[in-house]
Amino acid sequence: MKDTLTFDQLPDAVTKIQEKLDIIERLLIQRHEQLPEQDEIMPVSKAAIFLDLAVPTVYSKVCRKELPVNKRGKRLYFYRSELTEWIKSGRKKTADEIREEAVKHLATSSKKAKSF
C-alpha cells in the first residue's frame, strides 16, 4: 500500500497524473487513427443528405453514371468512402497550384527541347 501524500507532495503528484493522462490520450488518438474506418453503406435518402442534394438529383446523377453506386435488386446503395472520393475528385486547383505545375512543365519541356 502506498504512503499517503502530504500537502507538499500534491503538486508533483498532479503533474505526474497529468503526464500519464497525456500519454494515454496520445495512445488513444494513435489507436483511433490506426483502426480502419467502417465504410458506411447508405441508401439513396442518406446519400442525398450526405451530398446535400435532392433525392431526384441523386437518381439523375446515377442514371448519367456520374455517381459511384451499388445496386442490389431495385435498391441503390452508396459507400460513404466512394462518395467522399467523388467529392474530392471535383476539387479545383488554386492559382498557385496551377502556376507551380506550369513552371514544372516548362522546366521539363525546355530540358527536352535542349536535348534535340
Side-chain angles (χ1 to χ4, degrees), residues 3-70:
D3 295 330
T4 306
L5 293 174
T6 66
F7 184 75
D8 293 335
Q9 294 171 324
L10 282 178
D12 288 337
V14 170
T15 301
K16 287 180 183 178
I17 290 171
Q18 184 62 47
E19 289 170 355
K20 288 182 180 187
L21 283 174
D22 290 342
I23 291 169
I24 291 170
E25 183 180 28
R26 277 195 301 270
L27 289 172
L28 287 172
I29 290 170
Q30 287 174 352
R31 184 170 183 255
H32 178 71
E33 290 171 352
Q34 291 172 349
L35 292 175
E37 289 187 24
Q38 182 86 16
D39 199 9
E40 181 183 359
I41 298 173
M42 299 183 274
V44 173
S45 58
K46 199 164 183 178
I49 292 168
F50 177 74
L51 296 170
D52 195 24
L53 297 172
V55 171
T57 304
V58 172
Y59 278 115
S60 65
K61 287 187 176 296
V62 167
C63 285
R64 293 191 307 262
K65 299 187 186 314
E66 293 177 11
L67 276 178
V69 66
N70 297 279

Side-chain angles (χ1 to χ4, degrees), residues 34-111:
Q34 291 172 349
L35 292 175
E37 289 187 24
Q38 182 86 16
D39 199 9
E40 181 183 359
I41 298 173
M42 299 183 274
V44 173
S45 58
K46 199 164 183 178
I49 292 168
F50 177 74
L51 296 170
D52 195 24
L53 297 172
V55 171
T57 304
V58 172
Y59 278 115
S60 65
K61 287 187 176 296
V62 167
C63 285
R64 293 191 307 262
K65 299 187 186 314
E66 293 177 11
L67 276 178
V69 66
N70 297 279
K71 188 172 181 184
R72 195 64 158 164
K74 294 181 179 181
R75 303 233 183 239
L76 300 179
Y77 298 98
F78 302 85
Y79 284 100
R80 178 181 290 274
S81 62
E82 290 178 349
L83 293 178
T84 302
E85 286 303 313
W86 176 78
I87 292 169
K88 288 179 181 178
S89 71
R91 181 182 178 275
K92 302 293 182 193
K93 294 180 181 177
T94 65
D96 287 340
E97 290 171 331
I98 294 170
R99 201 173 300 113
E100 190 176 307
E101 284 182 7
V103 168
K104 286 180 184 176
H105 177 72
L106 290 173
T108 57
S109 63
S110 65
K111 287 179 185 177

